[in-house]
Amino acid sequence: MSETLFSKIIDRSIPAEIVYEDEHILGFNDINPQAPVHVLFIPKIAIATHNDIKPEHDQVIAQLHHAINIYAKEIGEDENGYRIVMNCNANGQQTVFHIHMHFLAGRQMLWPPG
Ligand code: AMP
């Protein structure tokens, strides 16, 4: 499996502000936040893009969503609401090829997202 920035965050070879962790999922602050709260939630197993999600990943994808729910409730943003985004490949402007859900909260989001 190829190394990415996020696999290095998982193995702690580069630092990150980790705000959530369980057996399968890691959540850490985005280095370039686009909202008062901007956390990246990633599975600890490497899946390069949304296109690479297969039926065998059903459980970890559910765990990713459960982790986000736990965190949103923990920081008191569950009822206010938030946005979760996963960028895919060039048109989606994906830059790190280890799937990650952007969790954005703490302000009114706009639509269309641009
Ligand atoms: P994407 O463009 O969807 O692939 O998102 C990659 C995200 O990773 C961007 O929002 C970056 O700001 C963020 N990022 C890049 N390097 C780091 C880092 N060292 N720690 C935390 N977030 C990072």
Coordinates of all heavy atoms in Angstrom, one line a residue, residues 3-78:
E3 N 2.4 5.0 0.6 CA 2.3 5.9 1.7 C 1.7 7.2 1.3 O 2.0 7.7 0.2 CB 3.8 6.2 2.2 CG 4.3 5.2 3.2 CD 5.2 5.9 4.2 OE1 6.0 6.8 3.8 OE2 5.3 5.4 5.4
T4 N 0.9 7.8 2.1 CA 0.4 9.1 1.9 C 0.6 9.9 3.1 O 1.0 9.4 4.2 CB -1.1 9.1 1.6 OG1 -1.8 8.6 2.8 CG2 -1.5 8.2 0.4
L5 N 0.3 11.2 3.0 CA 0.4 12.1 4.1 C -0.5 11.6 5.3 O -0.1 11.6 6.4 CB -0.2 13.5 3.7 CG -0.2 14.6 4.6 CD1 1.2 15.0 5.1 CD2 -0.8 15.8 4.0
F6 N -1.6 11.0 4.9 CA -2.5 10.6 6.0 C -2.1 9.3 6.6 O -2.3 9.1 7.8 CB -4.0 10.5 5.5 CG -4.6 11.9 5.2 CD1 -5.8 12.0 4.6 CD2 -3.9 13.1 5.5 CE1 -6.3 13.3 4.3 CE2 -4.4 14.3 5.2 CZ -5.6 14.4 4.6
S7 N -1.4 8.4 5.8 CA -0.9 7.2 6.5 C 0.2 7.5 7.4 O 0.3 6.9 8.5 CB -0.5 6.2 5.4 OG 0.7 6.6 4.7
K8 N 0.9 8.6 7.1 CA 2.0 9.1 8.1 C 1.4 9.7 9.3 O 1.9 9.6 10.4 CB 2.9 10.1 7.4 CG 3.7 9.4 6.3 CD 4.6 10.4 5.6 CE 5.3 9.8 4.4 NZ 5.8 10.7 3.5
I9 N 0.2 10.3 9.2 CA -0.5 10.8 10.4 C -1.0 9.7 11.2 O -0.9 9.7 12.4 CB -1.6 11.8 10.0 CG1 -1.0 13.1 9.5 CG2 -2.6 12.1 11.1 CD1 -2.0 14.2 9.0
I10 N -1.5 8.6 10.5 CA -2.0 7.4 11.3 C -0.9 6.8 12.1 O -1.0 6.4 13.2 CB -2.6 6.4 10.3 CG1 -3.9 7.0 9.7 CG2 -2.9 5.1 11.0 CD1 -4.4 6.2 8.5
D11 N 0.3 6.7 11.4 CA 1.4 6.0 12.1 C 2.2 6.9 13.0 O 3.2 6.6 13.6 CB 2.3 5.1 11.2 CG 3.1 6.0 10.3 OD1 3.4 7.2 10.5 OD2 3.6 5.4 9.2
R12 N 1.8 8.2 13.1 CA 2.4 9.2 14.0 C 3.8 9.6 13.5 O 4.5 10.2 14.3 CB 2.5 8.8 15.4 CG 1.2 8.3 16.1 CD 0.0 9.2 15.9 NE -1.0 9.1 17.0 CZ -2.2 8.5 16.9 NH1 -2.6 8.0 15.7 NH2 -3.0 8.5 17.9
S13 N 4.1 9.4 12.2 CA 5.4 9.8 11.8 C 5.4 11.3 11.4 O 6.4 12.0 11.2 CB 6.0 9.0 10.6 OG 5.1 8.9 9.6
I14 N 4.2 11.9 11.1 CA 4.1 13.3 11.1 C 2.9 13.7 12.1 O 2.0 13.0 12.3 CB 3.8 13.9 9.7 CG1 2.5 13.5 9.1 CG2 5.0 13.6 8.7 CD1 2.2 14.4 7.9
P15 N 3.1 14.9 12.7 CA 2.1 15.3 13.7 C 0.8 15.8 13.1 O 0.7 16.3 12.0 CB 2.9 16.5 14.4 CG 3.8 17.0 13.4 CD 4.1 15.9 12.5
A16 N -0.2 15.7 13.9 CA -1.5 16.3 13.6 C -2.3 16.6 14.9 O -1.9 15.9 15.9 CB -2.3 15.3 12.7
E17 N -3.2 17.5 14.9 CA -4.0 17.7 16.0 C -5.2 16.8 16.0 O -6.2 17.0 15.4 CB -4.6 19.2 16.0 CG -3.5 20.2 16.2 CD -4.0 21.6 16.1 OE1 -5.3 21.8 16.0 OE2 -3.2 22.6 15.9
I18 N -5.0 15.7 16.7 CA -6.0 14.6 16.7 C -7.1 14.9 17.7 O -6.9 15.2 18.8 CB -5.4 13.2 17.0 CG1 -4.4 12.9 15.8 CG2 -6.4 12.1 17.2 CD1 -3.5 11.7 16.1
V19 N -8.4 14.9 17.2 CA -9.5 15.3 18.0 C -10.5 14.1 18.2 O -11.3 14.2 19.1 CB -10.3 16.5 17.4 CG1 -9.4 17.7 17.4 CG2 -10.9 16.2 16.1
Y20 N -10.3 13.0 17.4 CA -11.1 11.9 17.6 C -10.3 10.6 17.2 O -9.6 10.7 16.2 CB -12.3 11.9 16.7 CG -13.2 10.7 16.8 CD1 -14.2 10.6 17.7 CD2 -12.9 9.6 16.0 CE1 -15.0 9.4 17.9 CE2 -13.6 8.4 16.2 CZ -14.7 8.3 17.1 OH -15.4 7.2 17.3
E21 N -10.4 9.6 18.0 CA -9.8 8.3 17.6 C -10.6 7.1 18.1 O -11.0 7.2 19.3 CB -8.3 8.3 18.0 CG -7.6 7.0 17.5 CD -6.1 7.0 17.6 OE1 -5.6 7.8 18.4 OE2 -5.5 6.2 16.9
D22 N -10.8 6.1 17.3 CA -11.2 4.8 17.8 C -10.4 3.8 17.1 O -9.4 4.1 16.4 CB -12.8 4.7 17.7 CG -13.3 4.7 16.3 OD1 -12.5 4.2 15.4 OD2 -14.4 5.1 16.0
E23 N -10.8 2.5 17.2 CA -10.1 1.4 16.6 C -9.9 1.6 15.1 O -8.9 1.2 14.5 CB -10.8 0.1 16.9 CG -9.9 -1.1 16.7 CD -10.7 -2.4 17.0 OE1 -11.8 -2.3 17.7 OE2 -10.3 -3.4 16.5
H24 N -10.9 2.1 14.4 CA -10.9 2.1 13.0 C -10.7 3.5 12.3 O -10.5 3.6 11.1 CB -12.2 1.5 12.5 CG -12.4 0.1 13.0 ND1 -11.7 -1.0 12.6 CD2 -13.3 -0.3 14.0 CE1 -12.1 -2.0 13.2 NE2 -13.1 -1.7 14.1
I25 N -11.0 4.6 13.1 CA -11.2 5.9 12.5 C -10.3 6.9 13.3 O -10.2 6.8 14.5 CB -12.6 6.4 12.6 CG1 -13.6 5.3 12.0 CG2 -12.8 7.8 12.0 CD1 -13.4 5.1 10.5
L26 N -9.8 7.9 12.5 CA -9.0 9.0 13.1 C -9.6 10.3 12.6 O -10.0 10.4 11.4 CB -7.5 8.9 12.6 CG -6.5 9.7 13.4 CD1 -6.4 9.1 14.8 CD2 -5.2 9.6 12.7
G27 N -9.7 11.3 13.5 CA -10.2 12.6 13.1 C -9.2 13.6 13.6 O -8.7 13.6 14.8
F28 N -8.8 14.5 12.7 CA -7.8 15.5 13.1 C -8.1 16.9 12.4 O -8.7 16.9 11.3 CB -6.3 15.0 12.7 CG -6.2 14.6 11.3 CD1 -5.8 15.5 10.3 CD2 -6.4 13.3 10.9 CE1 -5.6 15.1 9.0 CE2 -6.3 12.9 9.6 CZ -5.9 13.7 8.7
N29 N -7.6 17.9 13.0 CA -7.9 19.3 12.4 C -7.2 19.5 11.1 O -6.1 19.1 10.9 CB -7.4 20.4 13.4 CG -8.3 20.5 14.6 OD1 -9.5 20.2 14.5 ND2 -7.8 20.8 15.8
D30 N -8.0 20.0 10.1 CA -7.4 20.4 8.8 C -6.4 21.5 9.1 O -6.7 22.5 9.8 CB -8.5 20.8 7.9 CG -8.0 20.8 6.4 OD1 -7.1 21.6 6.1 OD2 -8.6 20.0 5.6
I31 N -5.3 21.4 8.4 CA -4.2 22.4 8.5 C -4.6 23.8 7.9 O -4.1 24.8 8.3 CB -2.9 21.9 7.9 CG1 -1.7 22.5 8.6 CG2 -2.9 22.0 6.4 CD1 -0.4 21.7 8.2
N32 N -5.6 23.8 7.1 CA -6.1 25.0 6.4 C -7.6 25.1 6.5 O -8.3 24.9 5.5 CB -5.6 24.9 4.9 CG -6.0 26.1 4.1 OD1 -6.2 27.2 4.7 ND2 -6.1 26.0 2.8
P33 N -8.1 25.4 7.7 CA -9.5 25.3 8.0 C -10.4 26.2 7.2 O -10.0 27.4 7.0 CB -9.6 25.6 9.5 CG -8.3 26.3 9.9 CD -7.3 25.8 8.9
Q34 N -11.5 25.7 6.7 CA -12.4 26.5 5.9 C -13.7 26.8 6.7 O -14.7 27.4 6.1 CB -12.8 25.7 4.7 CG -11.7 25.3 3.8 CD -10.9 26.5 3.3 OE1 -11.5 27.4 2.8 NE2 -9.6 26.5 3.5
A35 N -13.7 26.5 8.0 CA -14.8 26.8 8.9 C -14.3 26.8 10.3 O -13.2 26.3 10.5 CB -15.9 25.8 8.7
P36 N -15.0 27.4 11.2 CA -14.5 27.4 12.6 C -14.1 26.0 13.1 O -13.2 25.8 13.9 CB -15.7 27.9 13.4 CG -16.4 28.9 12.4 CD -16.3 28.1 11.1
V37 N -14.9 25.0 12.6 CA -14.5 23.6 12.9 C -14.3 22.9 11.5 O -15.2 23.0 10.7 CB -15.6 22.8 13.7 CG1 -15.2 21.3 13.9 CG2 -16.0 23.5 15.0
H38 N -13.1 22.4 11.3 CA -12.8 21.7 10.1 C -11.9 20.5 10.4 O -10.7 20.6 10.6 CB -12.1 22.6 9.1 CG -11.9 22.0 7.7 ND1 -11.5 22.7 6.6 CD2 -12.1 20.7 7.2 CE1 -11.4 21.9 5.5 NE2 -11.8 20.7 5.9
V39 N -12.6 19.3 10.5 CA -11.9 18.1 10.9 C -11.9 17.1 9.8 O -12.9 17.0 9.1 CB -12.6 17.5 12.2 CG1 -12.0 16.2 12.6 CG2 -12.5 18.5 13.4
L40 N -10.8 16.4 9.5 CA -10.8 15.4 8.5 C -10.9 14.0 9.2 O -10.2 13.7 10.2 CB -9.4 15.4 7.8 CG -9.2 16.8 7.1 CD1 -7.7 16.8 6.5 CD2 -10.2 17.0 6.0
F41 N -11.9 13.3 8.8 CA -12.1 11.9 9.4 C -11.7 10.9 8.3 O -12.1 11.0 7.2 CB -13.6 11.7 9.7 CG -14.1 12.4 11.0 CD1 -14.5 13.7 10.9 CD2 -14.0 11.7 12.2 CE1 -14.9 14.3 12.1 CE2 -14.4 12.4 13.4 CZ -14.8 13.7 13.3
I42 N -10.8 10.0 8.8 CA -10.2 9.0 7.8 C -10.3 7.6 8.4 O -10.2 7.5 9.6 CB -8.8 9.4 7.5 CG1 -7.9 9.2 8.7 CG2 -8.6 10.8 6.9 CD1 -6.4 9.4 8.4
P43 N -10.5 6.7 7.5 CA -10.4 5.3 8.0 C -8.9 5.0 8.2 O -8.1 5.5 7.5 CB -11.0 4.4 6.9 CG -10.8 5.3 5.7 CD -10.8 6.7 6.1
K44 N -8.6 4.1 9.1 CA -7.2 3.7 9.3 C -6.7 2.8 8.2 O -5.5 2.7 8.1 CB -7.0 3.1 10.7 CG -7.1 4.1 11.8 CD -6.9 3.5 13.2 CE -7.0 4.6 14.3 NZ -6.8 4.1 15.6
I45 N -7.6 2.2 7.5 CA -7.1 1.4 6.3 C -7.1 2.4 5.2 O -8.0 3.3 5.1 CB -8.0 0.2 6.0 CG1 -9.5 0.6 5.8 CG2 -7.9 -0.8 7.1 CD1 -10.3 -0.5 5.0
A46 N -6.2 2.1 4.2 CA -6.0 3.0 3.1 C -7.0 2.6 2.0 O -6.9 1.5 1.5 CB -4.6 2.9 2.6
I47 N -7.8 3.6 1.6 CA -8.6 3.5 0.4 C -8.3 4.8 -0.4 O -8.4 5.9 0.2 CB -10.1 3.4 0.8 CG1 -10.4 2.2 1.7 CG2 -11.0 3.3 -0.5 CD1 -11.8 2.2 2.3
A48 N -7.9 4.7 -1.6 CA -7.4 5.9 -2.3 C -8.4 6.9 -2.6 O -8.2 8.1 -2.3 CB -6.6 5.5 -3.6
T49 N -9.5 6.5 -3.2 CA -10.5 7.5 -3.6 C -11.9 6.9 -3.4 O -12.1 5.7 -3.1 CB -10.4 7.8 -5.1 OG1 -11.1 6.8 -5.9 CG2 -9.0 8.1 -5.6
H50 N -12.9 7.7 -3.5 CA -14.3 7.3 -3.4 C -14.6 6.1 -4.3 O -15.3 5.2 -4.0 CB -15.3 8.4 -3.6 CG -16.7 8.1 -3.2 ND1 -17.6 7.5 -4.0 CD2 -17.3 8.3 -2.0 CE1 -18.7 7.3 -3.4 NE2 -18.6 7.7 -2.2
N51 N -13.9 6.2 -5.5 CA -14.1 5.1 -6.5 C -13.7 3.8 -6.0 O -14.1 2.7 -6.6 CB -13.3 5.4 -7.8 CG -13.9 6.6 -8.5 OD1 -15.1 6.9 -8.5 ND2 -13.0 7.4 -9.2
D52 N -12.8 3.7 -5.1 CA -12.2 2.5 -4.6 C -13.0 1.9 -3.4 O -12.6 0.8 -2.9 CB -10.7 2.7 -4.2 CG -9.9 3.2 -5.4 OD1 -9.9 2.5 -6.4 OD2 -9.3 4.3 -5.3
I53 N -14.1 2.5 -3.0 CA -14.9 1.9 -1.9 C -15.6 0.7 -2.5 O -16.4 0.8 -3.5 CB -15.8 3.0 -1.4 CG1 -15.1 4.2 -0.7 CG2 -16.8 2.3 -0.3 CD1 -15.9 5.3 -0.3
K54 N -15.4 -0.4 -1.8 CA -16.0 -1.7 -2.3 C -16.9 -2.2 -1.2 O -16.9 -1.8 0.0 CB -14.9 -2.7 -2.6 CG -13.9 -2.3 -3.6 CD -14.4 -2.4 -5.0 CE -13.4 -2.1 -6.1 NZ -13.1 -0.8 -6.4
P55 N -17.8 -3.2 -1.5 CA -18.7 -3.8 -0.5 C -17.9 -4.2 0.7 O -18.5 -4.1 1.8 CB -19.4 -4.9 -1.2 CG -19.4 -4.5 -2.7 CD -18.1 -3.8 -2.9
E56 N -16.7 -4.7 0.6 CA -16.0 -5.1 1.8 C -15.6 -4.0 2.8 O -15.2 -4.2 3.9 CB -14.7 -5.9 1.5 CG -13.6 -5.2 0.8 CD -13.5 -5.4 -0.7 OE1 -14.6 -5.7 -1.4 OE2 -12.4 -5.4 -1.2
H57 N -15.8 -2.8 2.3 CA -15.6 -1.6 3.1 C -16.8 -1.1 3.8 O -16.8 0.0 4.5 CB -15.0 -0.4 2.3 CG -13.7 -0.8 1.6 ND1 -13.4 -0.6 0.3 CD2 -12.6 -1.4 2.2 CE1 -12.2 -1.0 0.0 NE2 -11.7 -1.5 1.1
D58 N -18.0 -1.8 3.6 CA -19.2 -1.3 4.2 C -19.1 -0.9 5.7 O -19.6 0.1 6.1 CB -20.4 -2.3 4.0 CG -20.9 -2.4 2.6 OD1 -20.4 -1.6 1.7 OD2 -21.8 -3.2 2.4
Q59 N -18.4 -1.8 6.4 CA -18.4 -1.6 7.9 C -17.6 -0.4 8.2 O -18.0 0.5 9.0 CB -17.8 -2.8 8.5 CG -18.2 -2.9 10.0 CD -17.7 -4.2 10.7 OE1 -17.3 -5.1 10.0 NE2 -17.8 -4.2 12.0
V60 N -16.4 -0.2 7.6 CA -15.6 0.9 7.9 C -16.2 2.3 7.5 O -16.0 3.3 8.1 CB -14.1 0.7 7.4 CG1 -13.9 1.0 5.9 CG2 -13.2 1.6 8.2
I61 N -16.9 2.2 6.4 CA -17.6 3.5 5.9 C -18.7 3.8 6.9 O -18.9 5.0 7.3 CB -18.2 3.3 4.5 CG1 -17.0 3.1 3.5 CG2 -19.0 4.5 4.1 CD1 -16.0 4.2 3.4
A62 N -19.4 2.8 7.4 CA -20.4 3.1 8.5 C -19.7 3.6 9.7 O -20.2 4.6 10.3 CB -21.2 1.8 8.8
Q63 N -18.6 3.1 10.1 CA -17.9 3.5 11.2 C -17.4 5.0 11.1 O -17.4 5.8 12.0 CB -16.7 2.6 11.5 CG -17.1 1.3 12.1 CD -16.0 0.2 11.9 OE1 -15.2 0.3 11.1 NE2 -16.1 -0.8 12.8
L64 N -17.0 5.3 9.8 CA -16.6 6.7 9.6 C -17.8 7.7 9.9 O -17.7 8.7 10.6 CB -16.3 6.8 8.1 CG -15.6 8.1 7.6 CD1 -14.2 8.3 8.2 CD2 -15.4 8.0 6.0
H65 N -19.0 7.3 9.4 CA -20.2 8.1 9.7 C -20.5 8.1 11.2 O -20.9 9.2 11.8 CB -21.4 7.7 8.9 CG -21.2 8.0 7.4 ND1 -21.5 9.3 7.0 CD2 -20.8 7.3 6.4 CE1 -21.2 9.3 5.7 NE2 -20.9 8.1 5.3
H66 N -20.4 7.0 11.8 CA -20.7 7.0 13.3 C -19.7 7.8 14.1 O -20.1 8.6 15.0 CB -20.6 5.5 13.8 CG -21.7 4.6 13.3 ND1 -23.0 5.0 13.1 CD2 -21.6 3.4 12.8 CE1 -23.7 4.0 12.6 NE2 -22.9 3.0 12.3
A67 N -18.5 7.8 13.7 CA -17.5 8.7 14.3 C -17.8 10.1 14.2 O -17.7 10.9 15.2 CB -16.1 8.4 13.8
I68 N -18.2 10.5 13.0 CA -18.6 11.9 12.8 C -19.8 12.3 13.7 O -19.9 13.3 14.3 CB -18.9 12.1 11.3 CG1 -17.6 12.1 10.5 CG2 -19.7 13.5 11.1 CD1 -17.8 12.0 9.0
N69 N -20.8 11.4 13.8 CA -22.0 11.6 14.6 C -21.6 11.8 16.1 O -22.1 12.7 16.8 CB -23.0 10.5 14.5 CG -23.7 10.6 13.2 OD1 -23.7 11.6 12.5 ND2 -24.5 9.5 12.9
I70 N -20.7 10.9 16.5 CA -20.2 11.0 17.9 C -19.5 12.4 18.2 O -19.8 13.1 19.1 CB -19.2 9.8 18.3 CG1 -20.0 8.5 18.3 CG2 -18.5 10.1 19.6 CD1 -19.1 7.3 18.3
Y71 N -18.7 12.7 17.2 CA -17.9 14.0 17.4 C -18.8 15.2 17.3 O -18.7 16.2 18.1 CB -16.8 14.1 16.3 CG -15.9 15.3 16.5 CD1 -15.1 15.4 17.6 CD2 -16.0 16.3 15.6 CE1 -14.3 16.5 17.8 CE2 -15.2 17.5 15.8 CZ -14.3 17.6 16.8 OH -13.6 18.7 17.0
A72 N -19.7 15.2 16.4 CA -20.7 16.3 16.2 C -21.5 16.6 17.5 O -21.7 17.7 18.0 CB -21.6 16.1 15.0
K73 N -21.9 15.5 18.1 CA -22.6 15.6 19.4 C -21.7 16.0 20.5 O -22.1 16.9 21.3 CB -23.2 14.2 19.7 CG -24.3 14.2 20.7 CD -24.9 12.8 20.8 CE -25.9 12.7 22.0 NZ -27.1 13.5 21.9
E74 N -20.5 15.5 20.5 CA -19.6 15.8 21.6 C -19.3 17.3 21.6 O -19.2 18.0 22.6 CB -18.3 15.0 21.3 CG -17.3 15.1 22.4 CD -16.1 14.2 22.0 OE1 -16.3 13.0 21.9 OE2 -15.0 14.7 21.8
I75 N -19.1 17.9 20.4 CA -18.8 19.4 20.4 C -20.1 20.2 20.3 O -20.0 21.5 20.2 CB -17.8 19.7 19.2 CG1 -18.5 19.5 17.8 CG2 -16.5 19.0 19.3 CD1 -17.7 20.1 16.7
G76 N -21.2 19.6 20.3 CA -22.5 20.4 20.4 C -22.9 21.0 19.1 O -23.6 22.0 19.1
E77 N -22.5 20.4 18.0 CA -22.9 21.0 16.7 C -23.9 20.1 15.9 O -24.2 20.4 14.8 CB -21.6 21.2 15.8 CG -20.7 22.3 16.3 CD -21.2 23.7 16.2 OE1 -22.3 23.9 15.5 OE2 -20.6 24.6 16.7
D78 N -24.3 19.0 16.6 CA -25.2 18.1 15.9 C -26.5 18.7 15.5 O -27.0 18.6 14.4 CB -25.4 16.8 16.7 CG -25.8 17.0 18.1 OD1 -25.5 18.1 18.7 OD2 -26.5 16.1 18.7

